[in-house]
Amino acid sequence: MPCVADKTSILPEKGVAALQNNFFITNLMEVLQREPECSCPESCSVLGSVSAAVAAKPLCCPNHDGKVMEFYCESCETAMCLECTEGEHREHMTVPLRDVVEQHKAALKNQLDAICSRLPQLTAAIELVNKISKQLAERKNEAVMEINSTFEELERVLHDRKNTLINDLENIFSAKQKVLHTQLTSLLQGQENIQSSCRFTEQALSHGSATEVLLVRKQMSERVNALARQDFPERPHENDHLDCLLETEGLRRSIQNLGVLLTTSSVGHTSVATGDGLRHALVGHQTTVTITTKDKDGELVKMGNAIIRAEITGPNGFYTEAEVVDNKNGTYEIVYTLKSEGEFTLSLLLYDQPIRGSPFRLRCVKASEVPQSPDDVKRRVKSPSGGGHVRQKAVRRPSSMYSSGKKKENPIEDEMIYRVGTRGREKGEFTNLQGISASGNGRIVVADSNNQCIQVFSNDGQFKLRFGVRGRSPGQLQRPTGITVDMNGDIIVADYDNKWVSIFTSDGKFKNKIGAGRLMGPKGVAVDRNGHIIAVDNKACCVFIFQSNGKLVTKFGARGTSDRQFAGPHFVAVNNKNEIVVTDFHNHSVKVYSADGEFLFKFGSHGEGNGQFNAPTGVAVDANGNIIVADWGNSRIQVFDSAGSFLSYINTTADPLYGPQGLALTSDGHVVVADSGNHCFKVYRYLQ
């Protein structure tokens, strides 16, 4: 008895050749062997034909000649005749074949119905793709016609200009030649008169008698004197200057760059929209939404010119279109202002296809209806020593009226969790805090610059430690700016005025200083994956890389605007490739270098738009390589991908920043920023 798929079947006496054809299985195999894209109706028709074949020709039992198979063994999953049910299958559960056929047909029919239900979607998708393909071909043909007509027009203009130049040339030539010909005629006439007079006078003197000479002397004398006194135009009345100057280099460059083919690979179902304007707006207030375009694989599209339409539909069919601002980097700003309150629908269409999540439901309310957050509560607690020190507790901001318990889909747009600090000189108070960093053991360290100290807090904002003594000796602090924590938990501090980098233990005990005699004004500091200490020299406009013992590994950079130059560099971070990311303050850009200091790329320009900076300061890199930048002059935090393409903002609008400086990622994945102008630090949710 051969075994197939762990089931045993009884062969007839004549072996496999005696088995009858199973028309149902044969036809079913034909269906299954077809391409998956075959249409469901055809499958249904095959099922019908198989059913008809089964109904028209009963199958005979291979083990009992002439016996019709009318029963089905569920345990053996095979058909059989009545004698089989009383023989080898007598202990098995058997049912009438027609009943089980109907049951399996019903199950298969359900499966087919499920497949058939996809047909309208596939048909619609086919129609849409065909439509886009047809439109693409039409636009290509239109572009070809536009190119041909434009260049034909240019050829005509060039031909006309050529003829004009030639005609002008001929006219100038003719005018100059006329002057020269007139002068030449006058000179030739004078020459002829003198020559004829000379010949006549010489003949008279040579061959004439005395009487003849005396008779003509008077006339000849007058003639010769007149010719001698005559003013002939001996100096040229014209010149031969006639050149054609054709400045073709600029025109050639223009022609070489003439025409731009506008297209993008962005599609709606992968592109995303972010911003509060997706959910709510205030009556009469301008509201913005940011669209980041992506291609079919979800990769960022880094060029503009996509065709985006934003439509807002409100109560009673109210309809308006929002303004679309192209940032020319693959992101777009949707700007709208609603004049009335109520529930609205915002539809964002990219090439007439909805952007992921579109349409969005938003609520517009009056500004007076938005509840105000209570003032931050500041609690002063006397220290056990009785010194009257202030212990500043973290103040958590209440949830927004628009927030919900659901996890947000947008990984960037989140709100502040808490803030710590106010202006002062006590514990938990700051005066011009600069650098900020976070350790792997759940601590936040802050360089309190004007208070010449370092303060340490837990990830939830509880004060833990303060150390530092003002002075210019090793272990003292004069103007701490940058700060970081190495793999051993040591706290590394860049001291701008002392012109060195100090290293402290995690509990604030001084260990060593490096860079003395080399650094002129260190600002930012970081540690790479090799344990090297990277110091940004703000004053010297360069970057130093030291071993942990202070030995110089390399330095790069100089003052200037080129790729390897800086203008007041501020802070530094290291990504997961061990690449060095530096904020170039006065060049309004972020520059990325290899671990050896070779320039890789830069991004950013001066401005207020997405991806632009007004003096960038703090910088951090998340586990995915995304770069988070504090935009000092614009008082905001921007997020970029690993290649420097703008992604979005950290939402700081409820409690605005004022001149943010250092920035870091905490061990629990939040963004912490030194809000220098407000003399505090703030922690924001950041879901990577």
Side-chain angles (χ1 to χ4, degrees):
M1 292 186 294
C3 178
V4 180
D6 296 332
K7 296 289 183 180
T8 57
S9 299
I10 300 174
L11 290 175
E13 295 178 0
K14 296 181 181 179
V16 176
L19 292 173
Q20 292 191 7
N21 291 331
N22 189 325
F23 295 104
F24 183 84
I25 298 300
T26 302
N27 283 276
L28 182 60
M29 287 299 296
E30 290 180 3
V31 174
L32 295 178
Q33 287 172 356
R34 291 180 181 149
E35 292 295 326
E37 289 79 5
C38 70
S39 64
C40 183
E42 184 179 352
S43 302
C44 296
S45 64
V46 170
L47 181 62
S49 64
V50 171
S51 300
V54 172
K57 185 177 180 180
L59 298 177
C60 294
C61 179
N63 298 321
H64 302 95
D65 289 340
K67 301 296 183 178
V68 177
M69 292 192 294
E70 298 178 307
F71 297 92
Y72 180 79
C73 177
E74 293 184 345
S75 56
C76 298
E77 295 184 354
T78 185
M80 65 197 71
C81 66
L82 179 60
E83 291 186 17
C84 291
T85 63
E86 297 170 349
E88 63 267 28
H89 296 277
R90 61 181 175 275
E91 296 181 357
H92 296 173
M93 176 68 70
T94 58
V95 294
L97 181 61
R98 181 161 298 279
D99 292 348
V100 76
V101 166
E102 293 302 323
Q103 177 184 344
H104 285 285
K105 281 175 60 178
L108 186 57
K109 182 64 168 60
N110 290 335
Q111 291 178 308
L112 288 173
D113 289 342
I115 296 175
C116 290
S117 67
R118 299 191 61 188
L119 272 178
Q121 296 173 333
L122 291 175
T123 301
I126 291 169
E127 292 176 354
L128 179 59
V129 172
N130 282 331
K131 178 183 177 182
I132 293 174
S133 178
K134 181 180 178 182
Q135 291 174 338
L136 179 63
E138 291 174 351
R139 291 202 168 104
K140 175 253 186 181
N141 293 333
E142 291 171 359
V144 170
M145 293 175 61
E146 179 68 19
I147 291 171
N148 287 333
S149 63
T150 299
F151 278 83
E152 287 170 1
E153 175 64 17
L154 289 175
E155 290 172 3
R156 185 189 66 76
V157 171
L158 283 172
H159 183 74
D160 291 347
R161 181 57 182 163
K162 180 187 76 172
N163 291 338
T164 298
L165 283 174
I166 292 175
N167 289 336
D168 291 346
L169 182 67
E170 290 290 348
N171 292 335
I172 294 171
F173 170 77
S174 298
K176 292 171 79 74
Q177 281 286 55
K178 183 178 181 180
V179 172
L180 292 173
H181 284 162
T182 300
Q183 181 183 12
L184 188 60
T185 299
S186 177
L187 291 172
L188 290 172
Q189 184 63 48
Q191 182 187 48
E192 177 61 26
N193 290 340
I194 291 174
Q195 288 175 343
S196 62
S197 296
C198 289
R199 285 195 302 269
F200 180 79
T201 302
E202 289 173 353
Q203 288 177 356
L205 293 174
S206 301
H207 304 290
S209 62
T211 303
E212 291 174 338
V213 171
L214 291 174
L215 288 174
V216 300
R217 182 195 66 81
K218 182 179 180 181
Q219 292 85 352
M220 290 303 301
S221 178
E222 291 175 352
R223 175 68 172 168
V224 170
N225 287 335
L227 289 173
R229 292 192 304 270
Q230 185 172 348
D231 186 17
F232 294 107
E234 298 177 8
R235 295 183 181 279
H237 287 182
E238 257 296 353
N239 56 59
D240 63 351
H241 184 195
L242 183 55
D243 295 329
C244 180
L245 179 62
L246 295 174
E247 293 286 353
T248 60
E249 186 59 31
L251 178 61
R252 188 175 288 110
R253 282 199 302 268
S254 297
I255 291 175
Q256 288 172 346
N257 296 318
L258 179 62
V260 177
L261 300 177
L262 302 179
T263 186
T264 77
S265 57
S266 55
V267 292
H269 66 276
T270 58
S271 298
V272 297
T274 59
D276 288 340
L278 293 175
R279 303 187 305 274
H280 60 269
L282 297 178
V283 175
H285 287 246
Q286 181 173 288
T287 307
T288 61
V289 171
T290 299
I291 293 177
T292 302
T293 55
K294 300 181 181 182
D295 64 15
K296 64 180 179 63
D297 298 318
E299 296 294 326
L300 293 172
V301 175
K302 301 178 182 178
M303 63 183 69
N305 302 305
I307 299 176
I308 292 178
R309 196 168 77 252
E311 302 172 348
I312 300 176
T313 306
N316 303 321
F318 168 80
Y319 170 84
T320 186
E321 284 198 16
E323 178 186 2
V324 179
V325 180
D326 188 348
N327 296 318
K328 301 300 181 182
N329 61 359
T331 67
Y332 303 80
E333 298 297 319
I334 308 300
V335 183
Y336 67 89
T337 303
L338 297 177
K339 308 251 186 226
S340 62
E341 54 187 322
E343 301 290 335
F344 293 82
T345 299
L346 172 61
S347 297
L348 300 178
L349 303 175
L350 173 61
Y351 298 114
D352 290 328
Q353 297 303 307
I355 283 171
R356 192 169 74 191
S358 178
F360 302 93
R361 294 186 62 83
L362 66 92
R363 181 185 174 207
C364 184
V365 299
K366 294 179 181 178
S368 59
E369 297 178 3
V370 178
Q372 299 295 316
S373 298
D375 294 335
D376 291 343
V377 179
K378 301 173 184 177
R379 182 176 300 172
R380 292 180 175 268
V381 180
K382 292 274 187 178
S383 68
S385 63
H389 291 165
V390 174
R391 180 168 174 144
Q392 175 66 43
K393 293 209 169 185
V395 180
R396 294 180 178 267
R397 180 162 57 84
S399 299
S400 166
M401 65 173 287
Y402 305 104
S403 65
S404 67
K406 296 182 180 179
K407 184 177 180 180
K408 297 182 180 178
E409 294 181 0
N410 175 17
I412 307 300
E413 182 205 5
D414 286 285
E415 53 187 24
M416 188 177 77
I417 303 172
Y418 66 85
R419 59 178 284 172
V420 172
T422 184
R423 187 182 185 114
R425 304 189 63 85
E426 305 297 338
K427 296 176 181 178
E429 296 180 339
F430 306 99
T431 307
N432 187 30
L433 68 167
Q434 293 280 304
I436 196 164
S437 186
S439 66
N441 63 350
R443 291 195 167 191
I444 296 171
V445 292
V446 183
D448 190 0
S449 187
N450 287 14
N451 286 333
Q452 289 97 9
C453 70
I454 306 301
Q455 299 197 50
V456 182
F457 300 82
S458 64
N459 271 357
D460 59 358
Q462 298 302 311
F463 176 83
K464 294 294 183 183
L465 173 69
R466 170 176 168 166
F467 66 88
V469 177
R470 178 180 180 180
R472 296 187 178 274
S473 300
Q476 296 180 326
L477 299 172
Q478 188 64 24
R479 187 181 168 192
T481 49
I483 192 166
T484 191
V485 181
D486 70 9
M487 292 175 284
N488 299 320
D490 288 341
I491 299 172
I492 302 170
V493 181
D495 194 327
Y496 191 92
D497 284 352
N498 277 333
K499 302 179 182 179
W500 62 54
V501 173
S502 296
I503 303 175
F504 300 87
T505 64
S506 59
D507 55 359
K509 295 179 181 178
F510 176 71
K511 291 180 65 175
N512 190 19
K513 67 179 177 70
I514 64 173
R518 296 182 184 274
L519 299 170
M520 296 177 62
K523 178 82 174 181
V525 66
V527 177
D528 70 9
R529 292 176 177 267
N530 299 320
H532 294 154
I533 297 172
I534 303 169
V536 174
D537 196 326
N538 173 268
K539 199 168 186 179
C541 291
C542 63
V543 176
F544 287 83
I545 302 178
F546 298 97
Q547 292 181 359
S548 58
N549 60 8
K551 182 179 179 180
L552 180 66
V553 176
T554 187
K555 67 174 253 188
F556 60 91
R559 186 178 301 277
T561 58
S562 71
D563 294 341
R564 286 182 54 85
Q565 294 178 323
F566 303 100
H570 265 51
F571 289 94
V572 61
V574 177
N575 66 15
N576 48 18
K577 299 178 183 177
N578 213 32
E579 295 167 345
I580 301 169
V581 185
V582 183
T583 54
D584 195 353
F585 190 83
H586 292 296
N587 283 330
H588 309 287
S589 62
V590 175
K591 296 177 178 178
V592 182
Y593 300 85
S594 70
D596 300 323
E598 291 300 316
F599 175 79
L600 298 176
F601 65 92
K602 66 179 179 181
F603 58 92
S605 61
H606 190 202
E608 299 178 356
N610 290 347
Q612 293 184 311
F613 300 112
N614 184 7
T617 47
V619 62
V621 182
D622 70 17
N624 298 319
N626 296 321
I627 303 170
I628 311 164
V629 184
D631 190 356
W632 180 82
N634 290 323
S635 288
R636 63 186 180 182
I637 302 172
Q638 301 192 68
V639 183
F640 302 81
D641 69 6
S642 59
S645 294
F646 173 79
L647 292 177
S648 191
Y649 303 101
I650 300 289
N651 184 1
T652 63
T653 54
D655 188 4
L657 300 171
Y658 183 41
Q661 287 280 346
L663 183 146
L665 280 167
T666 65
S667 59
D668 51 1
H670 300 317
V671 169
V672 57
V673 61
D675 191 356
S676 181
N678 288 319
H679 305 286
C680 68
F681 71 83
K682 297 173 180 176
V683 176
Y684 296 91
R685 292 186 182 88
Y686 175 73
L687 306 178
Q688 299 183 35

